[in-house]
Amino acid sequence: AVVSAQCTGSSGINAEYGDPEDFAELSRRIVKKLKNYQTDDGYNSFIRDLIPELCSEMTSDEIKKVSNPLVNLTYEKSRQEKEAKKKAQQASSKKSSLNTQKKQTDNRSDFLLNEYKSMDNFDDYDDFDDFM
């Protein structure tokens, strides 16, 4: 069966489609056109409504073949989001850890400096006074 797609305007979708290569080209053109609207408010609901409408005449096996890449994409996106969140948390905790370590080092340095300064006050200490 040959599918004729006629769209008005500058969509770039004006051809007849019959074989898989033609549909692959149609798919590329549609995706290219629709990606321009990804940030629009109605885009997500449009896609949610479009996919079931396009699949309504398919068999359940054909619909599974359509849904599998979406499920895989969902898992992949979820994994990427978790990794990004984990990296952000690690960067945040690493930064706070470095600040804490710096404060601890500063405190130790201050303590040692004060101890060293207080050692100067032992000029009047006599080792023999403490003998037995």
Side-chain angles (χ1 to χ4, degrees):
V2 175
V3 176
S4 178
Q6 296 292 322
C7 297
T8 58
S10 61
S11 67
I13 304 174
N14 294 316
E16 289 186 7
Y17 299 91
D19 61 49
E21 291 87 23
D22 293 336
F23 279 106
E25 178 61 27
L26 176 62
S27 175
R28 282 189 290 275
R29 288 182 181 186
I30 291 172
V31 168
K32 183 178 178 181
K33 184 68 175 176
L34 290 179
K35 283 201 176 222
N36 293 326
Y37 303 100
Q38 281 182 322
T39 57
D40 290 359
D41 291 338
Y43 180 81
N44 290 338
S45 62
F46 167 73
I47 296 298
R48 279 192 305 268
D49 295 341
L50 177 66
I51 300 303
E53 188 68 29
L54 291 175
C55 297
S56 65
E57 300 298 318
M58 294 180 171
T59 65
S60 62
D61 288 338
E62 291 170 332
I63 293 172
K64 284 179 188 176
K65 290 178 184 178
V66 170
S67 70
N68 282 339
L70 290 174
V71 170
N72 292 338
L73 181 61
T74 301
Y75 288 131
E76 181 62 25
K77 288 286 189 175
S78 178
R79 186 186 61 77
Q80 290 172 355
E81 291 166 358
K82 285 179 184 177
E83 284 180 9
K85 185 177 179 182
K86 186 176 180 181
K87 285 181 182 180
Q89 287 175 344
Q90 286 176 345
S92 175
S93 68
K94 191 179 243 185
K95 187 176 180 181
S96 67
S97 175
L98 289 175
N99 288 339
T100 303
Q101 287 176 353
K102 185 176 187 303
K103 287 178 186 176
Q104 289 173 348
T105 303
D106 289 346
N107 290 340
R108 278 188 247 135
S109 298
D110 291 345
F111 174 76
L112 292 174
L113 183 60
N114 289 334
E115 286 295 312
Y116 178 74
K117 286 180 181 179
S118 69
M119 291 176 78
D120 290 341
N121 297 333
F122 290 112
D123 289 340
D124 59 337
Y125 180 74
D126 187 5
D127 285 336
F128 295 108
D129 271 354
D130 196 29
F131 185 75
M132 293 181 130

